[in-house]
Amino acid sequence: MREACTVTRWILLCRAQFMERKAQKPPSPPAMENGTRSWEERPPADPVATVTEGAAKIVFPSANEVFYNPVQEFNRDLTCAVITEFARIHLGAKGIQIKVPGEKDSEKIAVDLSDQEEETAGKNENLAPGDWPRTAAVGEICEEGLRVLEGLAASGLRSIRFALEVPGLQSVVANDASARAVELMHRNVELNGVAHLVQPNQADARMLMYQHQKAPERFDVIDLDPYGSPAPFLDAAVQAVSDGGLLCVTCTDMAVLAGNSGETCYSKYGAMALKSRACHEMALRIVLHSLDLHANCYQRYIVPLLSISADFYIRVFVRVFTGQAKVKSSASKQALVFQCVGCGAFYLQRLGKASGDPGGRIKFSAACGPPVTPECEHCGQRHQLGGPMWAEPIHDLDFVGRVLDAVTTNPGRFHTSMRIQGVLSVVTEELPDVPLYYTLDQLSSTIHCNTPRLLQLRSALLHAGFRVSLSHACKNAVKTDAPPEALWDIMRCWEKECPVKRERLSESSPAFRILAVEPRLKANFNIREDANPSSRQRGLKRFQANPEANWGPRPRARPGGKAASEDLAGRRRLLQNKRKEPAEDPAQRAARLKTFPCKRFKEGTCQLGDQCCYSHSPAAPVASGDIPIEECPETTTKISPGPKAAAGGIPGPGVD
């Protein structure tokens, strides 16, 4: 009875705080017992900022105690769209139709049912009028709906948006290890009136997921958006998601995944990342490989639905299934990458091989390789070895088409709808069975020639009988099934139209060796109509510019926070290039250069006078045309001649 009174008192105080904006005393940290909250009488501290995003409105403290990044609104919008379509499929098999605000009821009936779901729909036609159709609306509890877990919820914004924008939910657990974050979540949940759906919880995300390993207790959707790498949470996540459930993972440690620290990437994801122009797509495939590897330990496997590289992070949506037979084929879905350090040509080597026998059974064996010689056949340079990475398609184009159709027909649902349409349109145009890509500037800079237009190169590949597409991960990407020798033949033909001065090329350079071979393929650079993709013709917002100044990852949330009045931008400028030598003062630079002979006027009279920053000390005894050292008024520092200068009259060391 006493606990109920304290809870009621706290709720009344919170409502009074928001409605009347009266100051309250700061809260004391709540005591947590077995993942539940023991409430105290004092309400949370006053926030100073209000954030409105989507249908949610949250209050936010000025101190950096709880993490929030407004740049990731696209991430949260896309997640709401993906979970909505997943709920449509998941509940459609149970005969439940979801109702999305702003969407007509008849728009989604025909496209949301698979063959199995259509059979279920046909059986349900004989139900009584009161039983059919069953619907699930936004903000209502659906008893057969999705159970969602946001493992690292911070302010709870994402979970609140799920409750307000995604229909067909049974419950949403908003978890965070920070007591301050859980306090803020409780406050925002009450503010938005979603306490019946969203359950704030304080616990370690890994321990919480490990406690839900049993099949009846698993979550249908798990969302992981950590600060940095999600590697510590993947093992628990693949066990806590239900069979056929949805796992959403964000990675913001792009420096590691893009090849700046290959050994660190291996320690976190079990793969070696390479520095290449296709590093963003390779990062996606490394994360998918890591997810599948963790799932295989428990006789589970993944099926990617959508994999996005955007801004400073990557985002993957995968379904997790259980099946020992399908797990055996996982090795054949992974591949190593051989990449030439000279010309950038790459080749894939599968780890396993799956082949069928006459009896219809599938036989698994080790793959044969490698696919390359010790030296690159095009430029003679060595190869780097990267991976393993996911070599199968990274998108389910049918599912992506459903999400794209839903966003296109209801553009007012999200603030970033135009960008979602543009990115997903490019995704649907990508070649699904072609891993990685080249870039236009990479191909032209390798042979030091002028860069052709993107449509010219795409047309040449199409004329040659190859497929080609763009990539959402890079603006000037060339994703094609053409082998490297055909690609370089096309570039050799282009170089003949825009010749390179061969005398300036080193004989050991990749450009010299590539251009020394005559092309066997005659390229046609006439523009084809199908060379211009539909998303480009329609002018969609495919590649967004920086959304704001100083955009990117935000500082990590810390206990106690940091005052908002502190000049973070000035601190960033102060810490930029902190590992490099500080800028040299002009006066110090002039004094340093005075110790070296004049580089320009080694003989004769210098007309610069005091403006010359170099010394005019002669390297040898004064000869005809030389000026004695005492006649040079600007000389301020004498240097002692080195051994060579004393012996042979050679001047002292110069400046690089």
Side-chain angles (χ1 to χ4, degrees):
M1 188 68 181
R2 185 177 181 180
E3 293 180 357
C5 293
T6 56
V7 172
T8 305
R9 179 180 295 181
W10 184 87
I11 294 175
L12 293 175
L13 288 175
C14 285
R15 290 178 177 175
Q17 182 180 14
F18 287 109
M19 299 299 296
E20 302 176 7
R21 298 185 177 274
K22 294 182 178 180
Q24 302 289 343
K25 296 181 180 180
S28 59
M32 303 300 299
E33 298 177 0
N34 300 325
T36 59
R37 181 183 179 109
S38 176
W39 290 97
E40 297 188 3
E41 295 186 2
R42 289 181 293 178
D46 268 341
V48 297
T50 301
V51 177
T52 301
E53 184 179 297
K57 181 178 181 181
I58 66 170
V59 289
F60 207 77
S62 59
N64 186 30
E65 295 180 285
V66 181
F67 185 80
Y68 168 71
N69 191 349
V71 177
Q72 285 202 349
E73 182 180 3
F74 170 74
N75 185 340
R76 292 182 282 267
D77 286 352
L78 181 62
T79 303
C80 290
V82 169
I83 296 180
T84 299
E85 292 308 307
F86 177 74
R88 198 189 305 273
I89 296 174
H90 183 81
L91 298 181
K94 301 178 181 180
I96 302 176
Q97 181 181 351
I98 65 172
K99 298 179 64 176
V100 181
E103 186 178 278
K104 294 181 180 179
D105 295 338
S106 60
E107 285 182 350
K108 288 294 177 179
I109 295 178
V111 297
D112 290 328
L113 299 178
S114 61
D115 295 338
Q116 180 180 359
E117 294 160 0
E118 288 177 358
E119 295 177 1
T120 306
K123 295 178 182 179
N124 290 330
E125 290 179 356
N126 299 324
L127 295 177
D131 297 333
W132 176 262
R134 292 185 295 168
T135 60
V138 169
E140 298 178 357
I141 297 178
C142 180
E143 296 298 335
E144 301 179 55
L146 302 178
R147 293 167 296 174
V148 183
L149 167 66
E150 185 185 2
L152 305 117
S155 63
L157 172 61
R158 191 183 298 250
S159 295
I160 293 172
R161 289 196 59 184
F162 291 164
L164 295 175
E165 301 178 30
V166 179
L169 301 182
Q170 180 181 346
S171 64
V172 180
V173 178
N175 177 77
D176 202 282
S178 169
R180 183 71 182 95
V182 176
E183 294 174 11
L184 188 62
M185 275 191 281
H186 276 283
R187 196 172 190 180
N188 289 324
V189 166
E190 293 294 335
L191 176 64
N192 289 271
V194 291
H196 60 292
L197 274 175
V198 181
Q199 306 167 8
N201 182 73
Q202 182 183 357
D204 184 278
R206 293 166 292 185
M207 297 306 299
L208 178 61
M209 289 186 287
Y210 280 133
Q211 293 170 1
H212 289 77
Q213 293 180 6
K214 296 181 180 179
E217 301 176 358
R218 291 173 178 169
F219 297 98
D220 299 305
V221 179
I222 295 181
D223 190 303
L224 296 176
D225 190 357
Y227 188 93
S229 173
F233 309 98
L234 299 184
D235 182 75
V238 296
Q239 299 181 67
V241 66
S242 62
D243 193 20
L246 179 65
L247 179 58
C248 318
V249 180
T250 301
C251 306
T252 56
D253 55 337
M254 288 304 298
V256 172
L257 287 167
N260 284 357
S261 183
E263 66 283 356
T264 304
C265 183
Y266 180 81
S267 66
K268 292 183 177 181
Y269 301 99
M272 181 67 69
L274 297 178
K275 282 188 176 181
S276 68
R277 301 301 176 90
C279 60
H280 290 154
E281 183 177 329
M282 189 172 185
L284 287 169
R285 295 182 177 275
I286 286 176
V287 173
L288 292 175
H289 158 75
S290 182
L291 285 169
D292 194 55
L293 189 62
H294 282 94
N296 292 163
C297 298
Y298 308 101
Q299 301 301 314
R300 313 193 82 183
Y301 62 96
I302 67 167
V303 176
L305 293 182
L306 177 62
S307 306
I308 294 293
S309 174
D311 299 332
F312 54 87
Y313 60 89
I314 60 176
R315 179 74 164 168
V316 297
F317 302 89
V318 302
R319 296 186 71 178
V320 182
F321 294 91
T322 304
Q324 184 178 5
K326 292 292 185 68
V327 170
K328 293 182 179 180
S329 63
S330 291
S332 60
K333 300 177 183 178
Q334 320 298 327
L336 297 172
V337 182
F338 290 85
Q339 178 179 280
C340 175
V341 299
C343 63
F346 58 84
Y347 303 85
L348 267 62
Q349 170 66 63
R350 297 275 180 154
L351 290 183
K353 180 181 179 182
S355 57
D357 59 8
R361 294 174 300 178
I362 299 178
K363 183 180 180 181
F364 302 98
S365 60
C368 299
V372 295
T373 56
E375 294 182 350
C376 178
E377 59 180 327
H378 308 293
C379 65
Q381 301 293 324
R382 67 187 186 279
H383 290 94
Q384 285 183 323
L385 182 62
M389 69 174 193
W390 182 265
E392 293 295 304
I394 61 176
H395 313 291
D396 184 339
L397 296 183
D398 291 336
F399 182 82
V400 175
R402 293 182 177 186
V403 179
L404 178 59
D405 180 67
V407 176
T408 303
T409 56
N410 190 10
R413 186 182 175 197
F414 302 114
H415 181 257
T416 60
S417 291
M418 298 304 296
R419 187 185 181 191
I420 294 177
Q421 294 179 42
V423 172
L424 295 187
S425 296
V426 179
V427 166
T428 58
E429 295 169 351
E430 290 183 9
L431 295 177
D433 56 342
V434 179
L436 306 184
Y437 53 82
Y438 298 92
T439 60
L440 198 61
D441 56 322
Q442 169 196 358
L443 297 172
S444 56
S445 62
T446 300
I447 59 176
H448 304 289
C449 71
N450 293 336
T451 304
R453 292 170 52 195
L454 182 61
L455 294 184
Q456 288 178 315
L457 183 60
R458 288 171 58 91
S459 298
L461 288 167
L462 292 172
H463 281 300
F466 301 107
R467 295 179 297 154
V468 62
S469 74
L470 296 175
S471 172
H472 78 277
C474 183
K475 189 174 183 178
N476 57 346
V478 180
K479 183 185 283 285
T480 178
D481 60 349
E485 51 267 20
L487 204 56
W488 286 125
D489 276 348
I490 292 175
M491 293 305 298
R492 291 186 185 104
C493 295
W494 172 257
E495 187 271 338
K496 291 183 180 298
E497 298 185 8
C498 307
V500 175
K501 295 184 178 180
R502 307 294 179 90
E503 61 274 9
R504 295 187 177 183
L505 301 178
S506 171
E507 294 184 0
S508 60
S509 65
F512 184 87
R513 296 190 178 186
I514 291 175
L515 295 178
V517 179
E518 285 296 321
R520 291 174 292 180
L521 173 67
K522 186 176 181 181
N524 182 1
F525 294 98
N526 294 330
I527 304 298
R528 290 177 44 148
E529 293 184 2
D530 54 348
N532 196 10
S534 173
S535 60
R536 191 171 183 267
Q537 294 179 11
R538 290 181 289 164
L540 297 180
K541 193 174 184 179
R542 302 172 299 162
F543 307 98
Q544 185 186 24
N546 294 352
E548 62 180 29
N550 299 320
W551 75 292
R554 294 300 177 96
R556 183 189 295 270
R558 302 185 183 279
K562 185 180 296 183
S565 59
E566 186 175 347
D567 187 8
L568 295 181
R571 187 169 180 270
R572 290 193 188 100
R573 288 192 296 268
L574 180 64
L575 294 179
Q576 282 182 353
N577 301 323
K578 62 180 180 181
R579 296 183 180 179
K580 299 181 180 179
E581 296 181 0
E584 191 174 8
D585 184 79
Q588 295 178 352
R589 180 176 182 274
R592 179 176 61 82
L593 293 177
K594 281 287 187 180
T595 62
F596 297 97
C598 183
K599 297 176 66 176
R600 183 175 181 183
F601 297 98
K602 294 183 179 180
E603 295 181 356
T605 304
C606 177
Q607 304 297 328
L608 298 179
D610 292 338
Q611 301 298 323
C612 182
C613 62
Y614 293 98
S615 171
H616 293 166
S617 301
V622 178
S624 59
D626 291 344
I627 302 298
I629 191 169
E630 59 270 14
E631 295 183 9
C632 185
E634 63 274 20
T635 302
T636 59
T637 306
K638 296 184 180 180
I639 59 172
S640 57
K644 293 183 180 181
I650 301 176
V655 183
D656 291 337

